[in-house]
Amino acid sequence: MIKTTGWRLFLLTFILFSAATSSYGQVAKAEAEIRNIMQQYDVVGLSVAVVQKEDIVYANSFGLKDLETRTPLSNSDIFRIASISKSFTATALQQLAEAGKLSLEDDVSNLLGFKVRNPRYPERVITLKMLLSHTSSINDSQGYFTLNSINPAKNPEWEKCYNSYAPGTDYQYCNLNFNMAGTILEKVSVERFDQYVKHHILDPLGLYGGYNVDSLDGSRFTTLYAYNPDSNSFSPSPSAYAPRREAIRSYVMGQSTPIFSPTGGMKISATDLAKYMAMHLNKGKYKGTRIISKKSAKQMQQEIARNGYGLALTTAKDLIPGKKLKGHTGSAYGLYSAMFFDPKQKYGFVVITNGCSAPDSDEYNKALAATINSLYRHLIEK
């Protein structure tokens, strides 16, 4: 009996040791590939996180947070993540829909308080769902930093904000859609946009981040660098974290919302963004805390537009060959970000760089796409 117990203990120890050694070996291979990718595309800094089910199974940061000071990038450092921010806006609106305060089929004219109609199709209602899926027929040609661009009472050129096709029949990516959606969130919730997201999404999930620069520790901001291919050089983009204090001091609820950029203004670390992703991966719930219902989570992930875009989440069919992922990308000020997950196999990736020379190809930054594929091969597929 003693001999048998000893043998079982030895066997269990051997199995655990072998698994740990194998896992370490796969991590080492992934990290070696990532460093090669960074060298190939002149990546300044790179933060990555891998999720399985509800757990972050791997997180690491490579390269520099700041070129001038040569400060290494760490997992706790914060990025302005650009258009992945749109999913926070849509998630918040799903909460209001579940509470019966609005419907995705509501006419946005009624929600905003001024007429929103494509002049070529004046009888066609533009709904909140159309805004969130970029099928509204609205474009960014008149700008998107203020809703005056689309308000007939404020802009004599308002008609240029609309495309030639009927609302709901085609797709064009449009940032104005989400500054409108964020304004609707504020009008309906009667809570300032940045505060609503903090109180109803970030705080319940235990995440550190936000849209208001002055509410965050500025020492954690990662410097973003725009790449100039002509000189093969990087320039810092300090405007990414502009606090806009004067504009906030004169803030008008339901009007000044674009100041916080519901379309791209979230600041958060890769690891905390991965926890938020895990919530969507698990249909609205993370570590026992439900943010939105399963129905709402599935609705955000459904394919609505012709290219697979849903409600601030899109479907990627070629990012990892043979895999169908849900998520979003972001690019602004030299930053590139990606958040993609498989809701069936329960894994996902967050990859963010503060600057690189890699061009976009078929919607995906080449450095981020290569990194995601390396992480998948070595840590998920094995």
Side-chain angles (χ1 to χ4, degrees), residues 4 11 23 56 71 79 110 142 150 176 200 216 228 261 380:
T4 302
L11 185 60
S23 178
I56 296 177
T71 304
F79 301 81
N110 298 331
Q142 297 297 293
I150 201 169
L176 180 55
H200 300 274
L216 301 168
N228 185 336
S261 187
I380 302 298

Side-chain angles (χ1 to χ4, degrees), residues 142-159:
Q142 297 297 293
Y144 57 87
F145 295 108
T146 169
L147 299 196
N148 289 346
S149 61
I150 201 169
N151 188 341
K154 301 291 180 66
N155 179 19
E157 303 290 328
W158 66 272
E159 293 184 355

Side-chain angles (χ1 to χ4, degrees), residues 1 5 13 47 102 148 152-153 173 197 203 206 218-219 221 226 229 235 238 244 252 263 290 307 317 356 365 372:
M1 182 65 181
T5 302
T13 302
S47 277
L102 55 71
N148 289 346
Y173 194 86
V197 174
D203 287 350
S219 69
F221 291 158
S235 301
R244 307 193 70 181
V252 179
T263 192
R290 180 163 293 283
N307 67 337
K317 299 177 182 178
C356 69
N365 175 276
I372 287 172

Side-chain angles (χ1 to χ4, degrees), residues 151-332:
N151 188 341
K154 301 291 180 66
N155 179 19
E157 303 290 328
W158 66 272
E159 293 184 355
K160 293 182 180 179
C161 290
Y162 295 92
N163 295 324
S164 60
Y165 56 83
T169 65
D170 208 346
Y171 167 94
Q172 181 176 321
Y173 194 86
C174 171
N175 288 302
L176 180 55
N177 281 329
F178 276 82
N179 279 343
M180 294 168 70
T183 301
I184 289 168
L185 171 70
E186 199 167 82
K187 280 178 168 286
V188 173
S189 69
V190 198
E191 190 170 0
R192 205 174 74 179
F193 176 81
D194 63 312
Q195 292 295 316
Y196 182 95
V197 174
K198 173 178 170 55
H199 296 153
H200 300 274
I201 298 176
L202 298 174
D203 287 350
L205 293 177
L207 309 181
Y208 184 84
Y211 288 82
N212 187 350
V213 168
D214 282 342
S215 71
L216 301 168
D217 179 359
S219 69
R220 293 175 64 176
F221 291 158
T222 303
T223 305
L224 307 185
Y225 293 94
Y227 175 71
N228 185 336
D230 295 330
S231 60
N232 190 32
S233 62
F234 290 96
S235 301
S237 303
S239 58
Y241 304 109
R244 307 193 70 181
R245 296 185 185 100
E246 283 298 321
I248 293 173
R249 270 195 284 270
S250 57
Y251 200 91
V252 179
M253 287 284 290
Q255 181 177 316
S256 303
T257 323
I259 287 171
F260 292 114
S261 187
T263 192
M266 172 60 73
K267 293 92 180 169
I268 196 168
S269 68
T271 49
D272 273 345
L273 182 59
K275 296 172 186 176
Y276 166 79
M277 177 184 69
M279 177 273 294
H280 279 291
L281 171 66
N282 290 285
K283 302 293 192 303
K285 186 179 180 181
Y286 176 70
K287 300 290 185 180
T289 299
R290 180 163 293 283
I291 296 298
I292 53 175
S293 68
K294 288 183 179 180
K295 181 180 178 181
S296 292
K298 288 180 180 179
Q299 190 176 36
M300 287 184 67
Q301 296 173 26
Q302 69 181 336
E303 297 181 44
I304 297 173
R306 57 178 168 76
N307 67 337
Y309 203 96
L311 302 180
L313 293 173
T314 193
T315 300
K317 299 177 182 178
D318 57 353
L319 178 56
I320 297 177
K323 301 298 176 182
K324 195 173 184 179
L325 306 178
K326 305 290 182 177
H328 213 288
T329 60
S331 62

Side-chain angles (χ1 to χ4, degrees), residues 118-134:
N118 188 317
R120 297 174 181 83
Y121 306 91
E123 304 305 317
R124 190 75 170 252
V125 169
I126 294 177
T127 67
L128 180 55
K129 183 178 180 180
M130 292 177 189
L131 293 186
L132 299 180
S133 60
H134 296 297

